[in-house]
Amino acid sequence: MSPIVYVLIAVAAAVILFFLFRKPAEPALPEKPEPKKLDKRRVEEGEEAKAPKKPAPEKKKEEPKKDASAERPRDEAKPAAKKEAPKPIVEPVVEEKAAAAKPEKPAAKAIDDDFGKPVVLDPATLRKGLSRTRGGMIARLADLIRGRREVDPALLAEIEEVLLTSDVGVKTTQALVQRLHERLENKELGDADKVWAALRAEAEAILGGGGRLRLRQKPEVVMVVGVNGSGKTTTIGKLAAKLKAQGKSVVLGAGDTFRAAAVQQLEVWGEREGATVVKGKEGADPSSVLFEAVNMAKETNADVLLCDTAGRLHTKANLMEELQKVRRTIGKALDGAPHETLLVLDATNGQNALEQAKQFKEAIELTGVVLTKLDGTAKGGVILAIADELKLPVRYIGIGERAADLREFDASEFVEALFAGRDAISTEAA
């Protein structure tokens, strides 16, 4: 071949090579694949390829984040108020109040509440109620002791005579005078004032500290017993009035079914004081009536049930046995009942009241005594004999017709009113 041919071939090859090498140089556009690399990264991170278009809104979201963070507290304030107010704060407070309320009514804190305690105690009323006893026994003692220059056994013998004739009773009088003799031998009775003070101290020691009832369970069942005319039904009515005045709920059991007037009298007290009265037909079995009364007190959640019983002679064995049956029936209706059994005695009966108390105590278990009509007798000294010989607390004393005149017995208050000075006695006599 000629050289020209070689030259042409070389030129053609050069042109071809030129174009061949120029085409691959065009991918100077490979920088566009950078988004593809970003896409790959986003794909590797689990994002879609279209996501790169939304990076800018992320900055916008940062600003709303501040707004959102500012708004969130507003939104969250509502649920926060709901969570904080009702659940963590209110419930504990209610529980604390409930826990504090339980002890007051029963206690129940085991309940320990006043049973008919008056709002105001008036010492002058008690002194007036005891004026007859003060004008009898106490006035005579005052005449013996006041102005006495010498305190000797003869004076003590005279004191003994006054006590015996004032229904204090033989046993109690002898014990009291014996203690005075011991004081005299120990030279503790140097003058009349010391004798007077010794009498007061011995009387208070015999009477004890007092015996007002306490409300310890619901219902508190109180059975009231005594002879006809002692004042049982009236005492029950007065107790109901005192309890209602304290806001207590009361049920009255008309267990004296043999005396129609007793049921009617109890109904009058019930209507007056707003107390429920449970009664039966005239002549009905008193046990069944009081059984129903206990059930009524339980159903109505009453604070106190006061059970009246038929008056009976303490010398009649069959009547006393029936009283035992009534007491057993009440116990069947409510375990532990009656919680109190009060014997009502008429103070005007003097030593006969003491004999009644002895017979009742032998027949049934007594927990206390109510001594009525002290304002109408000079035989108030019998209260010393009852407390000393029976060892029973005197719960209440009656010194008048009003409900307030059924007074809670307090030994120190009673002795203070009973053993007043001669000036007070003289004023009352005038």
Side-chain angles (χ1 to χ4, degrees):
M1 294 178 72
S2 65
I4 296 173
V5 174
Y6 284 107
V7 171
L8 290 173
I9 293 171
V11 171
V15 171
I16 292 169
L17 289 172
F18 174 78
F19 283 106
L20 286 174
F21 283 103
R22 188 168 176 149
K23 284 181 182 178
E26 288 178 3
L29 300 173
E31 294 184 4
K32 288 184 180 177
E34 285 182 5
K36 292 181 182 178
K37 290 181 182 179
L38 290 174
D39 290 346
K40 290 179 182 179
R41 289 177 187 174
R42 294 174 184 272
V43 170
E44 290 173 359
E45 292 174 359
E47 297 181 5
E48 295 180 0
K50 293 180 181 179
K53 294 180 182 179
K54 298 181 181 179
E58 290 180 0
K59 293 182 181 179
K60 293 180 181 179
K61 283 182 182 178
E62 289 177 0
E63 294 177 1
K65 280 181 187 177
K66 294 180 182 179
D67 296 336
S69 62
E71 290 175 0
R72 280 176 192 169
R74 296 176 189 171
D75 297 335
E76 291 173 1
K78 294 178 182 177
K82 291 179 183 176
K83 290 179 183 177
E84 290 175 4
K87 293 184 180 178
I89 298 177
V90 175
E91 290 181 1
V93 170
V94 172
E95 289 174 2
E96 288 175 8
K97 288 182 180 177
K102 287 178 184 175
E104 284 191 351
K105 279 190 172 185
K109 64 180 189 176
I111 303 176
D112 188 7
D113 199 359
D114 286 320
F115 188 105
K117 182 179 179 181
V119 178
V120 178
L121 290 174
D122 182 11
T125 303
L126 181 58
R127 287 196 297 270
K128 183 179 179 181
L130 297 175
S131 60
R132 291 203 176 187
T133 298
R134 284 156 52 82
M137 178 181 76
I138 301 304
R140 292 168 62 195
L141 287 173
D143 288 338
L144 285 176
I145 297 170
R146 297 297 182 190
R148 197 80 174 224
R149 294 182 178 180
E150 182 181 358
V151 178
D152 53 19
L155 172 61
L156 300 187
E158 293 180 61
I159 291 175
E160 182 177 8
E161 183 181 351
V162 171
L163 295 176
L164 286 172
T165 55
S166 300
D167 287 278
V168 174
V170 176
K171 183 178 178 180
T172 303
T173 296
Q174 289 177 344
L176 196 155
V177 172
Q178 177 60 36
R179 287 194 284 270
L180 290 178
H181 274 291
E182 292 173 0
R183 287 173 177 256
L184 181 61
E185 290 175 1
N186 294 330
K187 298 182 180 180
E188 297 176 10
L189 304 179
D191 54 38
D193 289 338
K194 289 183 179 179
V195 175
W196 191 253
L199 275 172
R200 293 177 56 155
E202 293 299 337
E204 188 170 345
I206 289 172
L207 293 172
R212 181 175 69 242
L213 295 179
R214 305 292 295 181
L215 181 63
R216 292 189 171 91
Q217 51 269 310
K218 287 183 70 173
E220 177 90 8
V221 180
V222 181
M223 180 178 173
V224 183
V225 301
V227 301
N228 284 319
S230 60
K232 296 187 311 302
T233 307
T234 300
T235 296
I236 289 172
K238 290 178 179 179
L239 275 176
K242 295 168 80 65
L243 289 165
K244 292 297 290 185
Q246 288 183 279
K248 302 291 190 300
S249 54
V250 182
V251 173
L252 305 179
D256 189 354
T257 58
F258 300 117
R259 188 169 68 93
V263 178
Q264 294 170 1
Q265 186 180 358
L266 212 58
E267 286 182 306
V268 170
W269 278 106
E271 291 175 6
R272 183 189 304 171
E273 304 302 333
T276 303
V277 179
V278 179
K279 63 177 182 177
K281 295 181 180 179
E282 185 176 350
D285 180 17
S287 296
S288 63
V289 173
L290 294 182
F291 186 89
E292 291 302 322
V294 173
N295 289 332
M296 174 64 73
K298 291 192 294 184
E299 290 172 6
T300 58
N301 197 30
D303 291 305
V304 181
L305 166 62
L306 301 174
C307 299
D308 195 8
T309 59
R312 58 204 68 229
L313 293 175
H314 53 290
T315 55
K316 299 291 184 180
N318 60 327
L319 295 178
M320 298 303 281
E321 288 174 2
E322 186 176 342
L323 193 60
Q324 295 170 358
K325 175 189 172 184
V326 170
R327 198 175 192 282
R328 288 194 301 269
T329 302
I330 292 174
K332 291 178 182 178
L334 178 62
D335 188 33
H339 307 106
E340 294 280 349
T341 302
L342 300 181
L343 173 62
V344 179
L345 297 172
D346 183 345
T348 61
N349 289 329
Q351 283 295 299
N352 191 38
L354 178 61
E355 290 304 316
Q356 293 173 16
K358 288 179 179 178
Q359 295 295 327
F360 272 93
K361 187 180 180 184
E362 289 179 6
I364 60 173
E365 182 183 350
L366 300 174
T367 61
V369 173
V370 179
L371 198 61
T372 63
K373 308 177 187 179
L374 269 173
D375 57 317
T377 181
K379 299 178 180 180
V382 70
I383 193 172
L384 295 170
I386 291 171
D388 183 48
E389 295 191 35
L390 300 181
K391 307 302 180 187
L392 286 173
V394 179
R395 299 295 196 187
Y396 293 88
I397 55 174
I399 56 172
E401 297 297 325
R402 302 173 305 164
D405 292 331
L406 181 67
R407 196 178 186 94
E408 297 71 16
F409 181 75
D410 181 272
S412 60
E413 183 188 45
F414 182 85
V415 170
E416 178 64 29
L418 193 62
F419 285 83
R422 173 177 291 191
D423 293 339
I425 295 171
S426 300
T427 301
E428 289 169 0

